[in-house]
Amino acid sequence: MNEQNYEDYWSLTNAFTDYNGDKFLSTLKICVEFIDEFKNEIYSPEKYTRLQLRIQEVIDIELISVRKAINQLVKMGFINSFLISYQKETIEYLNARTNRKRETLLSKIVYSYSSFNKSINDDSKLHQLNFLIDTLVEVGKLTKEDIIALMLVDIANVEKGYLTRIELNHYVIIANQINFIERKYNQIGYLTNLLRKLDDIVFVSNELYFTEDAKQIFGENLEITLRKRNPYLHLIYKNQLKEESFSIFEGEKCMVEKLSYPTLIASHIKPFIRSTEEEAYDPNNGILLSRNIDSLFDLGYITFSDEGEIIFANHLKQDVKDYIQNSDYSLDNRFINAKRIEYLEYHRNEVFEKRYKYA
């Protein structure tokens, strides 16, 4: 194994960690428009400065953060060094109607075009993320220590394009010897944040697996394994929904059927597994439902309009549709507020519309 300078680590710049956030998308859009506008002008420090100032005017962040943001886009593969061009998938990413669409495009962009050696004024064809994925293929799983160790590898010196378990263990020892995790905490966090957003790989107890491998090991209900409810916060969340039902119906009733079932489900509108901690226990992200209505809603067979009317999936059995329609069920509009409308839009676009067309 060739000797190397272990200070030449994989350095992923991250001005923004939310790749669906307004600041990330706005910065990317400005860069794309700037590249188009000045495509016939060769790169220069002055050209780079103009781009920085344009971004700062819109995003209102310090110039050092602007520079970090631009280099993040270069390293991740959205735009190319020297402001030459951008990927065709970058436009698809900006125009994506849903976050889920962007998540899939993110995986394609960073796997195909990213290089942590790139910067605004330095190009590179070395693909560290591909090297990591190929090492995962070889060894089956990567612990957090393994991922940290990989950040020390000069992949240009590894012709086969991955590490074996024995080679990886060597770098784990080196990382511990030089206290890499303590000194490069931010860079390690940036890489793991990116990995958590990619398709078909998943962290389980801080170990990285291919999703299909993880399901074989931990079972098909992998989402339950990955995200556990806080029982106390969930109890508070459900009690808030019960109190809301009581304030409207003077009793704890299904908010759609308006019946006092002995068991009611505090059903998430934006699925629990996809919610942030704040969203997961936000009562506006919930409606109190009977088991039957909850199962139809949870599986995307039905959804609700902003007025509370039920929308049916095409392939829902006609007798079920007829029963619900004849019963004149709807989400009582007294439970609809601006925040719930936002969650309902998410359900229509990401849970219902993803699988089915409207009837």
Side-chain angles (χ1 to χ4, degrees):
M1 189 174 296
N2 296 330
E3 293 298 320
Q4 71 175 75
N5 176 6
Y6 292 113
E7 293 307 306
D8 293 335
Y9 56 89
W10 299 3
S11 180
L12 175 61
T13 305
N14 244 4
F16 309 122
T17 56
D18 181 2
Y19 306 142
N20 293 316
D22 290 340
K23 287 187 176 180
F24 183 90
L25 294 172
S26 295
T27 302
L28 180 57
K29 184 173 185 291
I30 293 168
C31 287
V32 166
E33 291 173 345
F34 186 89
I35 289 170
D36 285 341
E37 185 177 350
F38 299 102
K39 60 185 176 183
N40 295 323
E41 179 183 338
I42 63 171
Y43 177 80
S44 67
E46 189 273 335
K47 181 179 181 180
Y48 181 35
T49 298
R50 295 203 319 268
L51 173 59
Q52 294 175 56
L53 293 174
R54 182 176 292 192
I55 292 171
Q56 189 181 36
E57 288 176 1
V58 176
I59 308 300
D60 191 28
I61 56 176
E62 295 180 355
L63 277 176
I64 189 171
S65 296
V66 172
R67 288 192 288 271
K68 185 182 289 187
I70 297 169
N71 273 298
Q72 176 180 0
L73 296 176
V74 173
K75 288 176 181 291
M76 291 178 69
F78 283 92
I79 63 176
N80 293 318
S81 301
F82 304 105
L83 302 175
I84 295 171
S85 58
Y86 48 81
Q87 320 308 334
K88 62 182 178 60
E89 292 89 350
T90 298
I91 300 300
E92 295 178 50
Y93 192 90
L94 284 171
N95 293 335
R97 292 179 58 243
T98 65
N99 288 346
R100 182 70 192 112
K101 174 69 173 176
R102 274 193 290 270
E103 287 167 9
T104 299
L105 285 167
L106 176 71
S107 299
K108 184 176 181 181
I109 290 167
V110 297
Y111 187 81
S112 301
Y113 309 112
S114 71
S115 175
F116 304 155
N117 289 71
K118 285 182 180 180
S119 66
I120 192 67
N121 57 4
D122 190 12
D123 199 9
S124 173
K125 301 302 181 184
L126 298 175
H127 298 292
Q128 288 84 357
L129 188 69
N130 306 48
F131 189 92
L132 184 150
I133 296 295
D134 288 344
T135 299
L136 179 58
V137 171
E138 170 67 18
V139 302
K141 72 174 181 180
L142 294 172
T143 66
K144 190 172 183 180
E145 276 192 329
D146 292 336
I147 294 169
I148 293 166
L150 278 170
M151 295 177 70
L152 297 174
V153 179
D154 181 357
I155 67 174
N157 292 328
V158 186
E159 290 185 7
K160 63 182 180 294
Y162 61 87
L163 295 187
T164 64
R165 170 47 63 186
I166 292 174
E167 291 169 335
L168 187 53
N169 288 344
H170 167 78
Y171 282 96
V172 170
I173 293 170
I174 296 296
N176 288 328
Q177 287 175 343
I178 66 175
N179 297 319
F180 186 75
I181 188 171
E182 295 177 8
R183 296 186 296 110
K184 304 300 178 184
Y185 179 84
N186 284 339
Q187 284 77 12
I188 294 165
Y190 296 155
L191 178 57
T192 53
N193 175 67
L194 175 59
L195 292 172
R196 290 181 187 278
K197 291 176 167 60
L198 301 183
D199 280 349
D200 296 324
I201 58 175
V202 64
F203 278 96
V204 182
S205 301
N206 282 327
E207 294 180 332
L208 186 67
Y209 296 84
F210 288 108
T211 303
E212 287 305 310
D213 292 343
K215 285 181 178 179
Q216 290 183 17
I217 296 169
F218 300 101
E220 285 295 322
N221 292 327
L222 187 58
E223 289 186 347
I224 296 174
T225 303
L226 296 177
R227 179 75 180 272
K228 295 182 179 179
R229 285 187 172 92
N230 180 306
Y232 184 65
L233 290 177
H234 185 73
L235 179 62
I236 295 173
Y237 162 83
K238 186 172 184 177
N239 284 342
Q240 288 176 297
L241 291 175
K242 287 180 177 179
E243 290 170 6
E244 189 176 6
S245 173
F246 194 92
S247 69
I248 300 297
F249 297 140
E250 297 182 348
E252 295 172 9
K253 298 181 180 182
C254 171
M255 293 178 174
V256 173
E257 292 177 283
K258 304 172 182 62
L259 297 174
S260 303
Y261 288 96
T263 301
L264 291 168
I265 309 298
S267 184
H268 281 85
I269 303 172
K270 181 177 181 179
F272 177 83
I273 194 65
R274 303 186 198 175
S275 298
T276 64
E277 282 297 306
E278 182 178 354
E279 292 169 339
Y281 303 106
D282 178 5
N284 291 306
N285 187 24
I287 44 180
L288 206 59
L289 299 175
S290 69
R291 288 191 181 277
N292 285 342
I293 297 296
D294 171 68
S295 64
L296 294 172
F297 182 68
D298 191 51
L299 294 172
Y301 287 98
I302 65 170
T303 191
F304 300 97
S305 71
D306 289 347
E307 293 71 40
E309 296 176 356
I310 296 178
I311 303 168
F312 298 95
N314 279 335
H315 77 296
L316 182 63
K317 297 294 185 181
Q318 190 61 46
D319 59 343
V320 178
K321 290 184 187 178
D322 290 342
Y323 176 80
I324 292 175
Q325 288 172 330
N326 292 337
S327 301
D328 198 27
Y329 290 150
S330 65
L331 176 60
D332 194 294
N333 58 24
R334 287 173 291 182
F335 297 114
I336 295 175
N337 55 40
K339 192 64 178 175
R340 273 208 177 99
I341 286 174
E342 291 180 18
Y343 287 122
L344 287 171
E345 181 179 10
Y346 181 96
H347 188 274
R348 291 194 297 270
N349 292 336
E350 300 294 335
V351 180
F352 180 84
E353 192 173 278
K354 279 289 180 181
R355 302 189 182 117
Y356 312 115
K357 295 180 179 178
Y358 291 98

